[in-house]
């Protein structure tokens, strides 16, 4: 039963994406819908990363020794400074491991 559910959800996700990728299908979104969907990725990223960065042991952790918070702040600053995703990811990962080792 579990395998059937996994396959069914995989098909739902695939066909949901396929409708917008296949150029021969007559599905077109208006400008407002496209702009609305532009907020989906930052929203999902915030929902995934927010609890990891701010919550430790299910409690709010805003201490200056929180390596997740420090690396997140550094990642935001690096992105504004370098404007390069690859450099930001590599440097912020290195800083995160440095912070974890140090604290």
């Amino acid at each position: 039963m579990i395998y059937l559910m996994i396959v069914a959800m995989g098909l739902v996700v695939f066909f949901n994406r396929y409708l917008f990728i296949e150029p021969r299908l007559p599905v077109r979104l208006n400008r407002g819908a496209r702009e609305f969907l532009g907020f989906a990725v930052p929203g999902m990223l915030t929902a995934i990363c927010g609890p990891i960065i701010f919550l430790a042991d299910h409690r709010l952790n805003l201490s200056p020794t929180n390596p997740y918070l420090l690396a997140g702040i550094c990642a935001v600053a690096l992105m504004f400074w370098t404007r390069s995703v690859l450099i930001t990811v590599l440097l912020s990962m290195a800083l995160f491991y440095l912070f974890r080792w140090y604290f």
Side-chain angles (χ1 to χ4, degrees):
M1 181 68 182
I2 292 176
Y3 291 117
L4 178 65
M5 186 66 77
I6 291 171
V7 169
M9 292 308 296
L11 289 172
V12 166
V13 170
F14 172 76
F15 285 115
N16 186 19
R17 305 289 189 249
Y18 182 75
L19 289 174
F20 297 109
I21 293 172
E22 177 58 44
R24 293 179 295 206
L25 292 175
V27 176
R28 301 286 180 252
L29 295 176
N30 63 13
R31 183 174 174 247
R34 284 195 308 267
E35 286 181 9
F36 178 74
L37 288 175
F39 293 106
V41 174
M44 286 180 10
L45 185 63
T46 303
I48 292 169
C49 294
I52 294 170
I53 292 173
F54 296 111
L55 299 177
D57 300 323
H58 302 290
R59 299 173 80 179
L60 185 63
N61 184 5
L62 298 176
S63 73
T65 61
N66 181 357
Y68 295 96
L69 181 61
L70 291 174
I73 292 169
C74 289
V76 170
L78 282 168
M79 193 64 210
F80 280 118
W81 184 52
T82 64
R83 304 277 186 202
S84 170
V85 175
L86 180 62
I87 293 172
T88 300
V89 168
L90 293 176
L91 288 177
S92 62
M93 281 177 42
L95 287 170
F96 170 72
Y97 286 116
L98 181 73
F99 293 146
R100 273 189 68 183
W101 173 75
Y102 185 72
F103 295 116

